[in-house]
Amino acid sequence: MHFRAQTRLQFIIFMLVCAAFTNIYITQPVLPVLRQDFNTDLVMVSFTVSAVVLGIALANLPFGLISDKFPVRPVIATGGTAIVLCGLICAATDNLNVLIAARFVQGIFVPSLTTCIVAWLSRSLPPEKLNVVMGAYVSATVAGGLGGRLLGGWAFSPEHWRYAFVATSLFTLIAFSLALYGLPRDKREKSDPKAPAVRYIQLVRQWPLLRLYLCALSGFGIFSSVFNFLPFHLTQPPFAFTTEDTTLLYLVYLTGVMIGPVTGKLSNRIGSGNTLLTGAAVLCISLFMLLLPSVLAVTVGLILLCAGFFTIHAAAVGALNGKLTGGQGRANALYTLFYYVGGWAGITLSSLLYKHFGWNTLVGVLLVLLIIPVTAGCFERRFSPRGSGQIIAQPDQD
């Protein structure tokens, strides 16, 4: 693949995945406005976010199966159309139940633009190109997550939240149309329908894959726990931050946009194992800095937290797909499932730790979780120094 073709592919992937993730968090910053507009309580309006996440969790494994059986373009076209139509319904409805239902359907079809495109990439690209393009994928998840929040609560005034749905639907339409037109055709795009299927249980049983799934679980568990409870910590002395102050700090999230492509190139140069260890080391330093009673230390700590987490995430995704010789859709669906379970479990358990033991204990437990990416990095470094060359996801022969 020539440099120009690879750059074009990275742009297409970035746009498609960014659009998908923009849809997920669009109502998060305007929940108080939704509560007032629909004359309901905070629990009900929070379903406009959690319904999307639930839809993703439920649909991810089925779309893993779909991406292994069908060409990627019809899947993208169907999923993208469903997301756009539901976004327009969200913009037009005056019924909160309809809004929540439409958001749930959006979540169901998000994997058609994320899990399925990763599976297609892993079938279509050699490992060294895959690492770089997957860096663009990870950057897009960051940009989309942040972009959705900014679009819903900043680009448009909160009372005009419906315009944000229209704008996001238009962005999604452009992105998936670009993908349908611009994705290169490849003879490996279509799976052999007579080929025996790779089973989910077979993938989970293999330690070379399971250790990377656990990286997703622990990494996002650490990341989501810090960002969920840091605002509570910063309201306490010696910080006494206002909500506006904390929101400004969240802009360090943009670090992940730049880290993704760099991580892909780093993995090609030093191997996925060394890259995982580098990310874990950066994450460790960041957590220690978050313990210091200094605004500067917290700010630098958050930047390093983003850098370390997205280094681990991008390296793990690249290493996973570099190992696969089949079952790419299922393997990536499992990775995403572990990723979101890690985020949910991290926030849930961290809430108990923070409530009963405080910030320092919470950070201490998160430091212990770094054992997982360190272990994975050591195994990757020893047994697959370049993150490729292994034949892993072969179908069962029984």
Side-chain angles (χ1 to χ4, degrees):
M1 180 182 292
H2 296 297
F3 175 77
R4 181 176 297 179
Q6 181 174 326
T7 302
R8 182 178 63 207
L9 178 60
Q10 286 180 260
F11 176 74
I12 292 172
I13 299 304
F14 184 91
M15 290 285 287
L16 184 68
V17 177
C18 183
F21 274 79
T22 298
N23 284 277
I24 297 176
Y25 300 107
I26 193 170
T27 63
Q28 195 171 67
V30 294
L31 292 180
V33 177
L34 294 179
R35 179 175 59 180
Q36 182 178 354
D37 284 359
F38 291 101
N39 192 27
T40 186
D41 59 21
L42 183 60
V43 174
M44 284 299 297
V45 295
S46 69
F47 288 152
T48 62
V49 178
S50 60
V52 185
V53 177
L54 177 62
I56 295 172
L58 293 177
N60 206 56
L61 295 187
F63 267 105
L65 297 172
I66 289 171
S67 64
D68 282 339
K69 291 181 177 293
F70 298 97
V72 72
R73 282 180 175 79
V75 178
I76 290 176
T78 302
T81 301
I83 291 173
V84 168
L85 291 178
C86 287
L88 295 177
I89 291 173
C90 292
T93 186
D94 291 320
N95 187 309
L96 181 60
N97 291 328
V98 173
L99 175 61
I100 293 171
R103 295 286 285 158
F104 175 70
V105 175
Q106 283 189 310
I108 287 177
F109 284 98
V110 163
S112 69
L113 307 184
T114 55
T115 298
C116 292
I117 197 63
V118 172
W120 176 84
L121 287 169
S122 65
R123 291 195 300 266
S124 304
L125 298 179
E128 66 276 5
K129 302 296 184 184
L130 179 64
N131 282 336
V132 177
V133 175
M134 286 311 300
Y137 174 93
V138 172
S139 295
T141 67
V142 180
L146 181 61
R149 293 177 175 95
L150 293 179
L151 193 62
W154 182 74
F156 298 98
S157 58
E159 63 270 18
H160 293 151
W161 57 268
R162 297 177 187 274
Y163 294 161
F165 272 109
V166 175
T168 303
S169 296
L170 179 60
F171 177 35
T172 305
L173 176 63
I174 294 172
F176 86 77
S177 298
L178 183 65
L180 295 178
Y181 175 78
L183 286 178
R185 297 188 179 276
D186 189 281
K187 63 182 180 180
R188 289 170 288 182
E189 181 177 326
K190 294 184 179 180
S191 301
D192 183 1
K194 297 181 180 180
V198 176
R199 300 174 182 175
Y200 281 120
I201 189 64
Q202 178 196 1
L203 296 170
V204 175
R205 284 175 177 172
Q206 298 185 67
W207 173 239
L209 302 184
L210 179 59
R211 66 193 182 218
L212 297 172
Y213 293 146
L214 293 176
C215 277
L217 185 145
S218 62
F220 195 49
I222 293 170
F223 184 80
S224 59
S225 296
V226 170
F227 272 92
N228 214 61
F229 295 100
L230 185 67
F232 297 99
H233 174 59
L234 293 180
T235 60
Q236 304 299 319
F239 302 104
F241 270 30
T242 64
T243 301
E244 290 76 12
D245 295 332
T246 305
T247 302
L248 286 176
L249 275 181
Y250 277 4
L251 289 176
V252 301
Y253 201 67
L254 287 170
T255 305
V257 177
M258 299 175 286
I259 286 296
V262 173
T263 298
K265 295 177 181 178
L266 187 65
S267 293
N268 286 337
R269 177 169 295 185
I270 67 174
S272 296
N274 287 327
T275 305
L276 285 170
L277 292 173
T278 300
V282 173
L283 207 53
C284 180
I285 294 171
S286 74
L287 290 173
F288 276 112
M289 295 197 73
L290 292 176
L291 292 172
L292 300 177
S294 162
V295 174
L296 177 61
V298 169
T299 303
V300 175
L302 285 177
I303 293 173
L304 293 178
L305 179 81
C306 292
F309 165 66
F310 287 110
T311 296
I312 291 173
H313 181 29
V317 171
L320 172 71
N321 285 281
K323 297 176 186 297
L324 299 174
T325 60
Q328 287 89 348
R330 293 167 175 82
N332 284 283
L334 276 173
Y335 182 92
T336 304
L337 179 63
F338 272 77
Y339 183 89
Y340 281 105
V341 167
W344 172 81
I347 291 174
T348 303
L349 297 177
S350 294
S351 65
L352 299 175
L353 287 170
Y354 185 81
K355 178 180 179 181
H356 295 290
F357 302 104
W359 176 254
N360 290 351
T361 300
L362 170 58
V363 173
V365 172
L366 298 181
L367 283 165
V368 173
L369 286 178
L370 287 175
I371 292 173
I372 295 175
V374 168
T375 301
C378 290
F379 274 96
E380 285 294 307
R381 188 172 183 269
R382 180 177 179 183
F383 295 110
S384 49
R386 292 296 170 185
S388 61
Q390 296 190 32
I391 299 176
I392 298 294
Q394 292 289 357
D396 290 335
Q397 301 300 320
D398 50 25

